[in-house]
Amino acid sequence: GENVEQHPSTLSVQEGDSAVIKCTYSDSASNYFPWYKQELGKRPQLIIDIRSNVGEKKDQRIAVTLNKTAKHFSLHITETQPEDSAVYFCAASPGANNLFFGTGTRLTVIP
Amino acid sequence: EAGVVQSPRYKIIEKKQPVAFWCNPISGHNTLYWYLQNLGQGPELLIRYENEEAVDDSQLPKDRFSAERLKGVDSTLKIQPAELGDSAVYLCASRLAGGTGELFFGEGSRLTVL
C-alpha cells in the first residue's frame, strides 16, 4: 500500500513568519493529495487539496505544491497566526477511494 | 446539514471487555471509513465500505475486531475482547462515492482500556 512520510514532526514559528511542512509518498499511482488540520480534541478538517494534474494551488495564506517526479508535496502557510496552531496531516490517495495519512506535524505559532 | 455523528465520544472499559462504536455518516455518502488514531499519530485505515460492502478490510485485526454496515447507512465497529493496546481514538469518516474528494470526519470515539 501507499506509504506517506511527513516532516517535521514538530514546528514552532513566530507569529507572522512562514511555516513549511513536507511529505513524500511511495505509490506513483497516487493522484490526490489533501491536507487536514486537527485542533486538540477535534476532528480532522480539510484545509486544502491538490490533484496530480496541477503543480501548485493557493488559498489565501495557505498553498500546496506537488512534485510528481520526486513524489513529494508541501504545505506552505504564510503570515502565521496563533489560530494556525494545530496538528497538520498530509495524505495521499492512490485511487480506489483509499486515503493514507502521514504521521502529522504539530505546529505552534508563538505570539 | 448534520455532519458525521459518532457515539460514544468516550468509553472506558477493562481489558477483555467488549466495546462497540456507532457511526452515522452524512446523508447520501456511500463511502464510509473507520480509522484508528493513536496519540500523536495520523489516522490509520481499518476498513472502508462502499454502501453495505466492505471493500477494504485488510488492516482490520479480524481476530478481535468486526464491523458492519447492514443497510448501507449507519455502521458499527466492535472490539471483543479489548486489549490494553486498543486504547486510541476511533474515527469514522464518509465521502461521496465516485472517486477522490473530501473526507468528512466525525468527532471520534476515544477508547481507554484499563
Side-chain angles (χ1 to χ4, degrees), chain A residues 9-29:
Chain A
S9 57
T10 60
L11 179 61
S12 293
V13 299
Q14 290 291 136
E15 181 177 357
D17 287 351
S18 296
V20 180
I21 303 170
K22 299 182 179 182
C23 289
T24 60
Y25 61 99
S26 61
D27 192 337
S28 57

Side-chain angles (χ1 to χ4, degrees), chain A residues 31-32 34 36 38 40-47 49 51 87 89 93 95-104 106, chain B residues 3-4 9 31 33 35 37 40-43 45 48 50 56 91 95-107:
Chain A
N31 56 10
Y32 175 64
Y36 282 78
Q38 187 175 29
L40 189 63
K42 301 290 188 181
R43 72 187 78 193
Q45 291 191 295
L46 180 72
I47 56 171
D49 57 12
R51 299 184 188 276
V87 179
F89 294 99
S93 177
N97 266 334
N98 276 343
L99 196 59
F100 296 88
F101 287 83
T103 51
R106 180 175 299 280
Chain B
V4 177
R9 288 294 314 281
T31 307
Y33 306 77
Y35 280 92
Q37 187 174 29
Q41 299 295 312
L45 180 68
R48 173 171 64 92
E50 298 292 345
D56 186 350
L91 290 166
R95 172 196 255 177
L96 283 171
T100 56
E102 181 176 359
L103 255 65
F104 293 85
F105 284 89
E107 297 278 10

